[in-house]
Amino acid sequence: MFNNNNNNRIKTFTNIPTPFYFYDLDILDKTLDCIQRESGKHGYHVHYAIKANANTRIMEKIQSYGLGADCVSGNEILRSLETGYPAKKIVYAGVGKSDREIQIALDANIFCFNCESIPEIELINELASARNKMAKIAIRINPNVNANTHHYITTGIEENKFGINRWEFDDILETLKQCKHIELIGFHFHIGSQITDLSVFKGLCLRINEIQNWFEERQILVNHINVGGGFGVDYNEPDSNPIPDFETFFGIFKEFLQIRHNQSLHFELGRSIVAQCGSLISKVLYVKKGVNTKFAILDAGMTELLRPALYQAYHKIENLSSTGAPENYDVVGPICESSDCFGKSIRLPRTQRNDLIALRSTGAYGEAMASRYNLREIANSVFSDDLA
Ligand SMILES: *Cc1c(COP(=O)(O)O)cnc(C)c1O
């Protein structure tokens, strides 16, 4: 994206106040083309996990490819409706759905609630009953599959707060019998994020097969399976691998998941759709000598990109302005927290004040996690077609 053919783009960046989020719509289009083609081969349904990036233009573009929305709050449901996602393609998960949020979803007639506990199912039943409606739900099952990813972004093992565990299945069936305004239409799974070891998804498929058998023995059939998201991206080499290998990803489910007759298969992809189209563009404020190191202090920090401070995530760092001899820098932000650091001993061409720095692969969980800590302004977003 920022290779030598693209010097003109770097020149146009020079006139834009930093920091800002830059989105390459060409990469987003190519990613969506690929998803449409590869999921279409098998008739799979893909919902965009909008918590990854709820920027309106990004959401509208993804919607234009026919994807549905995966929401984790009432406001995300409202934003999805505003940006054109049909209610019948909206799914809604979350361990702490409030009364107001459930009402929003019921009033909108969304496709499916992904329910995470028995008391939640009981509340949805009560609120649906008051509206004289049937609420369609899937139970989010904790399949106890380890995603082999950072423990803060693992969600599918029993000690996590997410989902319903196997030892609760009998109680769930009892609850569903009591709840006359609930219709069970699916089984939902989501085991974690940034999963690059694809054998994890094979393990998930095999576990889902067992779980389906258990329910089938009890005469419970559902019309869809939702396997969640979590497909990872290449943060080390975004230019070599700008588009995740969706052919292999969907192929694993085709090969290992036993889908019943007339059952549809749904995915909730976030990061793998939007990560690589985004970069955070920042300027060097100062280069400061440390004890055994040099600090490159940027005008962007954890307020614009939280992932490194939150779970030691790595984003590739590039100096767009310099071609000098390489040196090591600790690249840090201006925020008053020691964890406000983007990388230690990063090799960059000789760096000085006012150089433009790109933090790559920030399209997912970048802008979406921005905060106003230290009373900073929320950074602007700039799209590749704005610069044409
Ligand atoms: C966050 C989330 C996703 C998307 O995860 P990615 O790793 O971004 O693909 C999907 N489903 C649920 C329920 C989520 O919470």
Side-chain angles (χ1 to χ4, degrees):
M1 175 161 56
F2 299 127
N3 55 24
N4 293 335
N5 322 335
N6 251 331
N7 277 335
N8 285 340
R9 173 162 293 164
I10 294 161
K11 277 190 201 120
T12 58
F13 281 173
T14 327
N15 303 318
I16 303 171
T18 52
F20 62 92
Y21 300 101
F22 174 71
Y23 294 109
D24 185 329
L25 294 176
D26 191 42
I27 289 189
L28 183 56
D29 276 317
K30 287 186 172 127
T31 306
L32 289 164
D33 270 334
C34 181
I35 291 175
Q36 201 175 45
R37 186 176 62 246
E38 297 303 331
S39 65
K41 277 185 191 165
H42 313 298
Y44 295 161
H45 302 258
V46 182
H47 304 258
Y48 169 50
I50 77 165
K51 75 172 191 281
N53 190 323
N55 182 301
T56 307
R57 278 199 69 188
I58 301 275
M59 284 186 62
E60 284 171 352
K61 159 116 13 221
I62 295 171
Q63 193 284 124
S64 75
Y65 283 77
L67 278 73
D70 165 39
C71 301
V72 291
S73 74
N75 286 349
E76 285 192 356
I77 295 173
L78 295 175
R79 173 75 61 89
S80 300
L81 294 168
E82 281 159 23
T83 48
Y85 292 80
K88 66 174 193 301
K89 291 187 183 178
I90 295 179
V91 293
Y92 174 29
V95 292
K97 301 179 181 77
S98 71
D99 298 41
R100 168 185 169 267
E101 292 178 308
I102 293 169
Q103 281 156 357
I104 288 170
L106 285 170
D107 290 341
N109 295 318
I110 64 165
F111 168 58
C112 193
F113 290 82
N114 292 330
C115 293
E116 311 222 12
S117 68
I118 289 174
E120 178 195 326
I121 295 172
E122 290 168 345
L123 177 61
I124 294 173
N125 182 59
E126 188 185 316
L127 296 174
S129 160
R131 286 169 163 65
N132 212 9
K133 278 191 170 173
M134 287 299 288
K136 286 180 290 176
I137 72 155
I139 48 175
R140 174 170 180 176
I141 296 173
N142 188 338
N144 206 18
V145 172
N146 195 335
N148 291 335
T149 181
H150 191 281
H151 60 282
Y152 279 10
I153 49 178
T154 297
T155 59
I157 51 177
E158 279 187 355
E159 56 254 46
N160 291 125
K161 68 178 175 180
F162 299 101
I164 290 168
N165 290 314
R166 203 160 181 159
W167 40 267
E168 295 171 283
F169 285 0
D170 286 315
D171 291 347
I172 283 282
L173 294 186
E174 207 38 52
T175 304
L176 290 172
K177 264 189 224 140
Q178 312 293 328
C179 292
K180 304 293 180 217
H181 289 264
I182 297 283
E183 184 189 358
L184 177 71
I185 64 164
F187 297 132
H188 173 242
F189 305 84
H190 173 68
I191 55 173
S193 204
Q194 184 51 18
I195 297 167
T196 48
D197 171 3
L198 291 184
S199 71
V200 166
F201 291 112
K202 176 183 170 187
L204 173 64
C205 290
L206 301 181
R207 191 61 57 83
I208 295 176
N209 294 341
E210 289 167 29
I211 292 170
Q212 280 232 80
N213 290 340
W214 190 95
F215 281 98
E216 217 164 66
E217 282 161 16
R218 287 153 185 82
Q219 278 70 52
I220 297 190
L221 285 170
V222 293
N223 68 24
H224 79 279
I225 299 292
N226 182 337
V227 293
F231 187 28
V233 302
D234 189 345
Y235 281 104
N236 295 307
E237 297 298 341
D239 290 318
S240 314
N241 294 304
I243 298 166
D245 182 359
F246 290 106
E247 181 179 5
T248 304
F249 174 72
F250 290 122
I252 288 174
F253 293 88
K254 181 73 191 168
E255 186 175 354
F256 296 105
L257 189 63
Q258 289 161 3
I259 285 296
R260 306 300 194 249
H261 185 60
N262 283 338
Q263 209 170 43
S264 58
L265 182 57
H266 296 245
F267 293 81
E268 301 168 338
L269 300 176
R271 185 190 314 272
S272 54
I273 301 179
V274 289
Q276 299 292 28
C277 73
S279 296
L280 173 60
I281 309 297
S282 170
K283 243 179 209 162
V284 177
L285 290 173
Y286 306 103
V287 175
K288 169 177 165 171
K289 274 207 177 75
V291 179
N292 290 313
T293 181
K294 266 186 293 191
F295 293 104
I297 304 173
L298 308 187
D299 64 2
M302 62 193 283
T303 41
E304 288 72 41
L305 180 63
L306 184 59
R307 300 186 67 255
L310 190 60
Y311 23 69
Q312 292 111 40
Y314 171 76
H315 287 263
K316 189 168 191 187
I317 302 172
E318 292 171 343
N319 185 326
L320 304 181
S321 309
S322 169
T323 52
E327 294 177 19
N328 286 348
Y329 296 89
D330 286 5
V331 181
V332 302
I335 308 301
C336 300
E337 298 287 341
S338 295
S339 63
D340 185 32
C341 175
F342 292 126
K344 290 196 190 305
S345 294
I346 302 293
R347 210 142 176 82
L348 292 175
R350 191 183 161 72
T351 293
Q352 51 191 350
R353 176 172 163 80
N354 286 332
D355 283 356
L356 278 173
I357 301 289
L359 291 140
R360 303 291 308 277
S361 318
T362 58
Y365 309 106
E367 184 174 0
M369 286 187 167
S371 85
R372 292 213 50 205
Y373 186 42
N374 291 191
L375 281 187
R376 286 166 61 84
E377 301 294 336
I378 296 290
N380 285 324
S381 44
V382 174
F383 294 84
S384 49
D385 61 354
D386 296 335
L387 303 178

